[in-house]
Amino acid sequence: MRHQPTYILFAAICLVAAAVLWLSIIAAPTEDARTSKAWHSMPPATLTAEAIRPLPEQTFQDPRKVALGRELFHDPRLSHDDTLACASCHVLAMGGTDRVARSIGIGGAVSAVNAPTVFNSGFNFVQFWDGRAATLEDQIDGPIHDPGELGSNWAEILRKLRRDPDYMDAFEDIYRDGLHRDNVKDAIATYERSLVTPNARFDKFLRGDADAIAEQEKIGYQRFSSLGCISCHQGLNVGGNMFQEFGVMGDYFADRGGITEADYGRYNVTGEDEDRYVFKVPSLRNVALTAPYFHDGSAQTLQEAVRVMGKYQLGRNLQADEIASLVAFLNTLTGEFDGARK
Amino acid sequence: MTLLRGGYVLMVLVAISILTFVFIRSQTIDPDRHYRITDRLRLLKQYDAILSQDTLKLRANLLGHYDSLVESLDQISGLIADLEAGPVAIVGKGRPEIDRLVESYARAHAERRKMLERFKKRNATLRNSLLYFPSAVEKFLAGIKNQREYERTFRSLEILTRDVLVDYVDKSSGLHPRLQSRIDMLVSLSDRMPSDVGEQISSLMSHARIIGSHKREVSEILEVVLSGNMSNIAENIYNSYQTQHVNSQKTERIFTFLLYMSSVLLMACIINILFRLAQATHRLSQANETLERRVEARTKELTQEIIERKRVEAAAREHQEEMARVLRINMMGEMASALAHEINQPLAAIMNYARGCLLRIRAKKFKRDEFGSAIEEICAQAERASKVVHHIREFVKKPAFSRKPMDLNELVVSAAKFAEIELRHSEVRVEFDLAERLPAVPVDSIQIEQVILNLIRNSIDAMQELEVTSRLITIRTSANNGSALDIAVCDIGSGVPDSIAEKIFDPFFTTKSQGVGMGLAISRTIVEAHSGRLWNTSNSGRGATFGFTIPYRREGESHVL
């Protein structure tokens, strides 16, 4: 009986303390774990009357992710039979493409469209010829699963990659949750974003070096503008920021013949008639290195590509000197990668 | 007490629940989230404005690329995704309204995106045709200027070109409805012309068509995009969020006040409880003190009472002892002749030996050795007499109160010895049936001896009528249940008639002509003073058994008062 007051007092203090603790726990703000785009730190786009803008001289990507992405990009374990890597069709030494009309996938399968260059792909507003992927991360799913390309799936790839202790360590170092699909995608996409080719001669010209391009090339640029090419091929990537119908001023596909499903372009994504034969306007950067041209790889040379564009997109027959100067101009769009022109 | 404690626990739980509710309601606004949302809403307005600006510039051909347009659209999409995914920091009825606004903005944004994609396509083609068409027409006209067969075509193409451009510049010119049919007419004319000229005309007309139709489409798109509808929604979202935020702040303030009030109340309750606990503790200690004082006083009283009782008991015992002694003296008186005989016998023997010695001395014929044995005999007889006297003296002297552990068998034998003369005189045989290894019991040996002697003498008296040869007393001692001792004196005398059975222990009741009637009464008093019991039974054959039981404390047992 004598000890009871102390006992009750102690119990009361314990209860109050527990209540306070509980309240402080439920009141603790929960961390919003979602990572948003870094939109809040980006300044509004600069306004300029110039239609073509020079590429930034460098991009700032996490070097560890870039290194890991480079490994993955060149790793044949991303294909079903361990024969092909991303780099098999996007050869960095060949302008980020494979210089064939349509790439050869695993087991000799032929893919549906021409492989676009991986260089500067981070500046494209959507990915694929038909723009079905909004980001580079989403784009990776395409070639991974396409039976005509890598023909694999994530479960298989992760199984293979997890057997490699070097990968396990590298992922553990960089990512909190280690080797996972989204982190593989992130590493590859980060690497791809680092594949930028600055310092093209034309970029130097845009930056004020009037002697960076020759007289004929200047004439070519002038024609590029006055003929209307620049209506679609503009911006940072000289294209890659809009869709356009292939054959605005003439029926390209009727003239070519042999229409495939891939020729429907964006229609395959939206299902709207308006989008039939509509493709992403490709970037013209490094275009001199990425023959053959168009989604079907039908133009073997730049001259041929320019001629086709003039006929079907501009509705005019370009003269030989026009084509020559335009090609000369297009050659000035070849940039540097790893400090060298490829 | 348990009920009281249960009530306390319930009260504490209720208090905690109320506090928790109030606390949660007073913490509805997460400042971090609020700033993030405000930031996003502000950026939404900002990018919306930039988008409108860029669109205006594009219409005025002040912007040569779509990069900033694409970027603004992407930013807005990201902002919408954020707003739709993350919970808005508002609890209450404002939330659905904001969600609805965001949703409608998202729908309008998707539509706008689609329209701007179409705008980019159409605008590119339009600009191309606008660049090309006038110069191409000029070049074409220059080529056919002096050819008479194309004079009508030349003129109508010249006018058409002018009208197409006027229509392009001035939508309200009213030329558009007729332009289409004039273009169609020129195309049909071109079919009849030589192929190179005809092809050129139809190519020019496709550009003219594009200028006419795309211009309208592009204008319509821009009108919709620039209508301000989206900006209004963005503004509305921002404003209603702010309104709701202010409202929740008001609510929050009310609940914060309530939280403060309930905290104060809770504190008051706790202080009250603590105060009452302190009071209770104080009262308890006071009560303890009082109790202790009362216990002390009562102990004192009880001690006093015990002393008093002991004094009374001592007086009673003294009285009883005195009575017993008187009775013993009386008994000695009754036994006087027998005792006298007992003393007389050795005295007679002494006298004989002494006379014999004297005769021999006078006759002067004696041997030295004969005197020795005679004097030894005299000494032995004198000692015997002295023992008897000593025994009597011991028996009747006023004893000091003393209880020593005694072997009851010894007391039985001693008492029997005392009665020996009377027994011999009355020719009564005594048989002992003594239990072995009886424990020593603390008793007043003289008093217990008195009781046994009294019982023996009663038995002797009871057997006066019997034949001399059959007079027999059996004295038996036995352990009773291990906690008491029985001493029984059994005779085969007249027994106790039923008529007097109830009165035999009463004082002054006697059947003897010379007795005072105090023997059994005092015996009972003595036995009861030893916590024992005096009893009698009738024998199965004849005679009676008188005995008493004295309880004793076993080894290790506590002393009971």
Side-chain angles (χ1 to χ4, degrees):
Chain A
M1 282 305 281
R2 253 197 133 78
H3 298 289
Q4 209 172 37
T6 6
Y7 173 69
I8 290 177
L9 186 64
F10 180 69
I13 289 168
C14 282
L15 268 173
V16 169
V20 167
L21 190 69
W22 181 47
L23 290 179
S24 64
I25 286 169
I26 61 161
T30 49
E31 186 55 38
D32 187 354
R34 285 181 318 107
T35 52
S36 62
K37 288 186 177 180
W39 45 263
H40 50 273
S41 63
M42 275 172 81
T46 48
L47 308 175
T48 166
E50 198 67 61
I52 297 174
R53 301 155 65 208
L55 283 177
E57 278 165 16
Q58 57 192 121
T59 57
F60 298 95
Q61 309 292 344
D62 184 338
R64 294 181 304 163
K65 289 186 183 178
V66 170
L68 181 58
R70 184 185 297 121
E71 287 293 313
L72 292 163
F73 193 80
H74 291 85
D75 196 327
R77 279 174 284 188
L78 264 62
S79 64
H80 175 65
D81 58 1
D82 294 351
T83 56
L84 296 174
C86 305
S88 304
C89 296
H90 299 288
V91 187
L92 298 190
M94 295 198 290
T97 178
D98 54 1
R99 292 189 183 158
V100 296
R102 296 207 237 143
S103 306
I104 308 299
I106 57 165
V110 178
S111 58
V113 289
N114 178 255
T117 177
V118 71
F119 279 117
N120 306 311
S121 53
F123 295 116
N124 287 337
F125 84 134
V126 289
Q127 304 298 330
F128 295 121
W129 281 100
D130 55 13
R132 65 180 183 273
T135 62
L136 283 172
E137 284 85 347
D138 291 348
Q139 182 272 339
I140 294 166
D141 285 329
I144 288 287
H145 293 102
D146 189 337
E149 298 184 36
L150 299 178
S152 184
N153 59 67
W154 282 111
E156 184 183 89
I157 289 168
L158 292 175
R159 203 163 50 239
K160 286 195 244 174
L161 296 184
R162 281 184 180 135
R163 282 193 215 120
D164 188 334
D166 291 345
Y167 272 132
M168 291 302 280
D169 291 347
F171 274 97
E172 294 291 334
D173 282 351
I174 301 173
Y175 298 100
R176 209 170 28 171
D177 50 350
L179 210 170
H180 281 285
R181 187 190 63 179
D182 288 349
N183 295 340
V184 173
K185 284 174 155 192
D186 182 70
I188 295 175
T190 305
Y191 172 62
E192 288 172 341
R193 286 194 185 93
S194 79
L195 298 176
V196 180
T197 60
N199 295 324
R201 285 191 291 124
F202 185 66
D203 281 356
K204 289 179 179 171
F205 173 74
L206 287 177
R207 288 203 166 97
D209 182 356
D211 297 332
I213 59 174
E215 203 54 39
Q216 202 208 0
E217 291 158 350
K218 283 178 188 164
I219 294 168
Y221 173 45
Q222 199 271 322
R223 287 203 168 130
F224 190 79
S225 304
S226 62
L227 288 169
C229 311
I230 208 165
S231 299
C232 290
H233 294 285
Q234 32 65 43
L236 205 62
N237 234 1
V238 201
N241 62 5
M242 62 180 284
F243 294 110
Q244 185 56 282
E245 186 182 345
F246 195 0
V248 186
M249 304 304 295
D251 199 337
Y252 168 80
F253 291 101
D255 293 353
R256 193 201 72 189
I259 296 177
T260 65
E261 199 192 335
D263 289 333
Y264 289 147
R266 189 146 179 76
Y267 172 81
N268 294 329
V269 181
T270 64
E272 290 181 24
D273 275 336
E274 191 192 341
D275 289 327
R276 203 183 293 270
Y277 308 128
V278 168
F279 295 89
K280 179 183 71 183
V281 173
S283 164
L284 292 184
R285 292 203 171 268
N286 307 308
V287 71
L289 307 176
T290 60
Y293 303 103
F294 307 139
H295 73 279
D296 52 5
S298 58
Q300 295 300 317
T301 63
L302 258 184
Q303 282 76 6
E304 172 67 4
V306 169
R307 193 191 62 76
V308 170
M309 281 286 111
K311 182 175 180 194
Y312 293 100
Q313 301 304 106
L314 301 177
R316 63 188 88 175
N317 293 313
L318 297 176
Q319 305 305 306
D321 66 317
E322 287 175 321
I323 292 175
S325 58
L326 284 171
V327 169
F329 162 69
L330 292 176
N331 271 292
T332 68
L333 293 173
T334 302
E336 291 172 1
F337 179 66
D338 282 348
R341 270 177 228 290
K342 301 287 178 180
Chain B
M1 201 62 209
T2 321
L3 201 68
L4 200 63
R5 211 176 290 173
Y8 269 124
V9 169
L10 196 69
M11 266 168 60
V12 167
L13 284 180
V14 167
I16 287 174
S17 309
I18 291 171
L19 274 175
T20 309
F21 171 74
V22 173
F23 182 80
I24 289 171
R25 290 305 305 267
S26 70
Q27 299 289 318
T28 47
I29 299 173
D30 175 357
D32 189 36
R33 192 173 286 162
H34 167 66
Y35 292 131
R36 224 158 44 210
I37 286 168
T38 316
D39 199 33
R40 277 164 207 194
L41 292 175
R42 194 177 49 71
L43 279 163
L44 193 68
K45 286 201 309 180
Q46 192 178 319
Y47 279 113
D48 205 273
I50 292 171
L51 193 66
S52 300
Q53 213 175 10
D54 287 346
T55 317
L56 270 172
K57 280 183 180 165
L58 283 168
R59 186 169 72 169
N61 285 333
L62 288 170
L63 192 60
H65 60 81
Y66 303 118
D67 283 355
S68 60
L69 199 69
V70 166
E71 195 190 324
S72 295
L73 287 169
D74 277 349
Q75 300 292 5
I76 291 172
S77 297
L79 289 168
I80 290 170
D82 270 355
L83 286 171
E84 281 180 335
V88 179
I90 285 178
V91 181
K93 56 181 184 292
R95 177 87 186 270
E97 194 198 327
I98 290 169
D99 284 350
R100 208 177 54 245
L101 281 171
V102 170
E103 199 189 320
S104 75
Y105 186 85
R107 265 204 312 277
H109 177 67
E111 186 59 34
R112 175 168 66 180
R113 227 189 152 125
K114 224 164 114 185
M115 286 171 88
L116 283 173
E117 285 306 326
R118 201 158 72 232
F119 165 80
K120 286 192 276 184
K121 282 194 289 194
R122 299 285 185 262
N123 195 40
T125 313
L126 175 63
R127 282 172 67 180
N128 171 45
S129 293
L130 270 175
L131 275 169
Y132 179 60
F133 180 65
S135 58
V137 166
E138 200 177 338
K139 208 169 149 193
F140 175 70
L141 289 179
I144 59 164
K145 195 171 184 179
N146 297 319
Q147 296 178 29
R148 285 183 63 86
E149 68 262 42
Y150 297 129
E151 203 177 321
R152 251 188 79 207
T153 317
F154 180 91
R155 288 203 60 77
S156 57
L157 190 58
E158 202 176 27
I159 296 165
L160 182 69
T161 303
R162 193 201 62 203
D163 287 353
V164 164
L165 294 176
V166 167
D167 177 57
Y168 172 75
V169 176
D170 183 8
K171 269 192 291 182
S172 57
S173 64
L175 289 168
H176 187 255
R178 279 179 294 128
L179 276 178
Q180 201 59 39
S181 56
R182 285 159 67 188
I183 288 167
D184 289 345
M185 200 183 70
L186 260 176
V187 171
S188 62
L189 269 177
S190 73
D191 286 347
R192 278 171 276 147
M193 289 178 194
S195 64
D196 60 327
V197 179
E199 262 177 37
Q200 278 191 61
I201 290 179
S202 73
S203 162
L204 287 173
M205 285 311 99
S206 60
H207 282 286
R209 273 205 194 96
I210 282 169
I211 292 170
S213 64
H214 282 29
K215 167 63 191 169
R216 275 183 165 64
E217 205 175 336
V218 163
S219 300
E220 277 165 20
I221 290 169
L222 289 180
E223 256 168 54
V224 172
V225 171
L226 294 170
S227 68
N229 184 33
M230 301 281 299
S231 306
N232 286 347
I233 300 175
E235 192 70 36
N236 276 350
I237 296 173
Y238 188 79
N239 289 344
S240 42
Y241 177 78
Q242 292 301 344
T243 313
Q244 290 305 327
H245 181 67
V246 169
N247 285 345
S248 354
Q249 270 181 324
K250 280 180 192 162
T251 321
E252 203 183 83
R253 265 202 292 279
I254 292 170
F255 277 100
T256 308
F257 179 71
L258 279 176
L259 183 69
Y260 171 74
M261 289 308 289
S262 27
S263 303
V264 168
L265 266 173
L266 187 72
M267 288 301 281
C269 285
I270 290 171
I271 289 167
N272 183 30
I273 288 168
L274 291 179
F275 180 70
R276 273 162 57 186
L277 279 176
Q279 268 190 328
T281 316
H282 180 65
R283 272 204 303 272
L284 196 66
S285 68
Q286 268 187 330
N288 271 339
E289 230 168 80
T290 318
L291 195 66
E292 269 168 29
R293 270 205 306 276
R294 280 174 62 186
V295 164
E296 208 176 308
R298 184 79 187 117
T299 311
K300 224 179 250 175
E301 277 172 33
L302 280 173
T303 317
Q304 207 66 40
E305 270 175 33
I306 286 166
I307 290 168
E308 181 66 17
R309 204 174 68 201
K310 277 188 176 163
R311 205 180 55 74
V312 170
E313 274 173 5
R317 194 172 54 236
E318 226 168 87
H319 180 71
Q320 176 244 316
E321 270 167 13
E322 196 54 41
M323 275 289 290
R325 183 165 162 267
V326 167
L327 222 75
R328 281 200 298 277
I329 293 166
N330 181 262
M331 196 146 62
M332 286 302 108
E334 282 171 11
M335 290 166 76
S337 64
L339 287 173
H341 175 74
E342 186 70 11
I343 297 165
N344 218 25
Q345 260 192 335
L347 284 179
I350 289 167
M351 206 178 290
N352 278 341
Y353 282 116
R355 273 195 190 127
C357 289
L358 202 61
L359 281 176
R360 275 179 172 73
I361 291 165
R362 279 181 186 155
K364 290 190 179 168
K365 52 178 230 190
F366 58 88
K367 283 177 189 165
R368 242 182 128 84
D369 294 350
E370 284 172 351
F371 283 121
S373 61
I375 291 167
E376 268 172 20
E377 195 61 32
I378 289 168
C379 287
Q381 290 298 328
E383 208 165 303
R384 188 181 152 202
S386 161
K387 264 185 187 163
V388 172
V389 172
H390 176 77
H391 204 157
I392 292 164
R393 223 209 238 128
E394 280 293 308
F395 200 67
V396 297
K397 86 171 180 194
K398 192 176 181 160
F401 173 75
S402 68
R403 280 188 185 173
K404 278 180 244 157
M406 290 296 296
D407 183 357
L408 285 186
N409 286 344
E410 218 171 83
L411 290 180
V412 167
V413 172
S414 172
K417 204 158 202 169
F418 223 137
E420 199 182 347
I421 308 148
E422 271 194 306
L423 288 165
R424 216 185 301 132
H425 187 75
S426 306
E427 294 175 82
V428 174
R429 251 179 329 115
V430 175
E431 275 182 12
F432 292 105
D433 178 9
L434 302 178
E436 280 177 23
R437 294 187 188 181
L438 284 182
V441 181
V443 291
D444 187 324
S445 49
I446 290 170
Q447 290 195 346
I448 294 298
E449 211 178 326
Q450 179 183 354
V451 174
I452 299 168
L453 184 61
N454 189 269
L455 293 180
I456 292 171
R457 292 187 64 230
N458 282 352
S459 293
I460 294 170
D461 290 344
M463 287 188 295
Q464 290 301 323
E465 317 277 305
L466 284 182
E467 287 276 324
V468 172
T469 48
S470 59
R471 291 176 187 168
L472 175 67
I473 292 175
T474 310
I475 303 176
R476 195 181 293 122
T477 60
S478 60
N480 183 351
N481 280 336
S483 62
L485 295 178
D486 282 343
I487 295 99
V489 178
C490 182
D491 63 49
I492 45 171
S494 50
V496 181
D498 289 345
S499 57
I500 61 163
E502 285 179 7
K503 290 187 274 186
I504 53 170
F505 294 118
D506 292 346
F508 308 113
F509 175 82
T510 182
T511 54
K512 299 173 194 168
S513 51
Q514 289 165 329
V516 288
M518 285 300 287
L520 280 175
I522 201 74
S523 291
R524 187 166 72 168
T525 313
I526 289 169
V527 169
E528 280 172 3
H530 284 81
S531 310
R533 192 169 61 84
L534 188 68
W535 47 265
N536 73 302
T537 54
S538 294
N539 289 348
S540 51
R542 53 176 298 157
T545 300
F546 277 79
F548 58 92
T549 304
I550 292 182
Y552 66 92
R553 184 160 58 88
R554 268 178 295 182
E555 208 71 21
E557 220 172 85
S558 65
H559 184 80
V560 183
L561 258 176

